[in-house]
Amino acid sequence: MQPTRRALLGYGALLACPSPTRADDLKDGRFRDEIVTILRGLYPAATISTDDDPEQVHVEAYTLYLGNLHGDLRGRSEAERQRRILAFLTRTMPGGPYPKDSPPPARTEPFAAARARLRIQLVPPDYATRTPDLVTRPFSKRLLVAYALDEPNRYQLITMPMLTAWGIEAGVLDEPARRNSEAEARQVSIEASPTGATGRFATSATEDGYAASRLLLPGFMERVRKALGTPGIIVAAPTREFIIAWTPDSEARARIAKVVRASFHKGPYSRSDELFHSDPAGLRPLTAAELADHGR
């Protein structure tokens, strides 16, 4: 449904309150809260929520990234700012504004077209609590495997109604999602450095929302092990935006484990402070003895 001029004028009224200073409003959450207010006016029947990340907002199964929009608004007049926010929201949400008594409709794109944009994702359990029909499976004590359709400025987590519309089972998602994610991960950099007299550590950080999920990619993890020069490594994904790995003999292993826990608690995009062992056989949680060796 395309918005009428009257509808756009009405939505524009939601943006009318002036904001004389916006220097830090993206990082402190004020900009996100402003967008949430607008979205709730546009889609009052939709489930709209936030988490500890001030740069994103969830609408149904969609996650909208606000960083690009915020940057685009810098230096704009108030009228132009309002126009661009509405243009972003009506472009980013599928199909534009919806009737006020209805949530955004389910995607009707055929699976054959959607599969090229499938990505694998790691999410905390509260995602499944917020969206009960989310397609997930267990990964660890604190993480679930989910699947997403990747698009500019947002990704949409896959739900059971989407599977029903596509006429497929959940198991069909895994292979194309991993393949697509592995292909993208080949371009992701890995930085490795010594950790003093013994051992090495490596990090990989991106702002695309998929850094943590690369724990699930055998090809990417093989690159991390090669960067560290050993077939067996310890790895963690404390936030969605980076992973950190190190060799088991690192003299800094206990300190790195503390950094993992601190990053997890600090966020944003928190995922898990769990520690995993990665080798050619796959990924597993650390044993009790290995955890003790890391001060856990």
Side-chain angles (χ1 to χ4, degrees):
M1 178 187 298
Q2 294 302 314
T4 64
R5 176 174 175 79
R6 178 180 295 178
L8 287 176
L9 288 173
Y11 300 144
L14 294 166
L15 299 152
C17 44
S19 303
T21 175
R22 298 189 175 94
D24 300 311
D25 62 347
L26 179 64
K27 298 299 182 183
D28 66 17
R30 283 178 293 150
F31 182 67
R32 178 195 62 189
D33 294 345
E34 178 185 3
I35 297 301
V36 166
T37 299
I38 297 166
L39 283 167
R40 285 178 174 154
L42 289 169
Y43 317 124
T47 301
I48 298 170
S49 61
T50 61
D51 53 29
D52 63 352
D53 174 16
E55 299 185 24
Q56 69 182 24
V57 58
H58 308 286
V59 184
E60 301 290 328
Y62 289 85
T63 297
L64 307 186
Y65 172 64
L66 304 178
N68 293 338
L69 172 63
H70 186 270
D72 181 58
L73 298 177
R74 192 172 295 115
R76 307 283 185 185
S77 69
E78 194 63 31
E80 178 65 6
R81 183 176 183 276
Q82 293 175 18
R83 188 188 72 78
R84 286 177 177 265
I85 289 176
L86 286 173
F88 172 85
L89 294 177
T90 55
R91 180 179 68 249
T92 304
M93 292 305 296
Y98 308 102
K100 287 183 175 293
D101 59 351
S102 302
R107 176 181 295 275
T108 57
E109 178 183 23
F111 181 66
R115 64 184 297 151
R117 294 186 289 104
L118 278 173
R119 303 291 185 270
I120 202 161
Q121 190 56 285
L122 278 177
V123 300
D126 64 340
Y127 274 48
T129 302
R130 186 174 64 234
T131 308
D133 58 5
L134 200 65
V135 177
T136 64
R137 59 180 176 80
F139 171 68
S140 69
K141 290 181 178 179
R142 291 188 172 174
L143 292 170
L144 303 172
V145 176
Y147 301 92
L149 283 179
D150 188 58
E151 301 176 33
N153 299 313
R154 72 175 184 189
Y155 64 83
Q156 180 184 15
L157 291 173
I158 306 300
T159 62
M160 292 304 298
M162 294 171 69
L163 296 186
T164 300
W166 285 333
I168 64 172
E169 299 293 331
V172 176
L173 300 173
D174 202 71
E175 190 278 329
R178 288 177 183 269
R179 182 180 65 247
N180 297 338
S181 297
E182 285 275 27
E184 285 188 335
R186 294 188 190 108
Q187 311 304 318
V188 173
S189 64
I190 300 166
E191 306 294 333
S193 303
T195 53
T198 61
R200 292 170 62 80
F201 80 103
T203 58
S204 180
T206 59
E207 295 182 354
D208 59 5
Y210 298 106
S213 66
R214 294 185 180 112
L215 289 180
L216 302 168
L217 306 178
F220 179 80
M221 292 308 301
E222 181 181 4
R223 286 182 56 208
V224 177
R225 293 192 299 269
K226 286 183 176 178
L228 292 175
T230 182
I233 61 173
I234 314 301
V235 63
T239 80
R240 192 188 69 183
E241 301 300 87
F242 84 99
I243 65 170
I244 182 169
W246 59 98
T247 57
D249 66 338
S250 170
E251 66 175 12
R253 57 190 179 275
R255 295 198 302 274
I256 298 174
K258 288 182 179 180
V259 169
V260 167
R261 180 156 286 171
S263 298
F264 165 68
H265 286 297
K266 183 179 180 181
Y269 314 99
S270 293
R271 284 301 181 259
S272 176
D273 63 354
E274 297 166 294
L275 306 181
F276 302 94
H277 184 274
S278 170
D279 61 26
L283 197 70
R284 62 165 175 81
L286 292 196
T287 65
E290 289 168 330
L291 287 172
D293 190 45
H294 283 77
R296 293 283 184 93

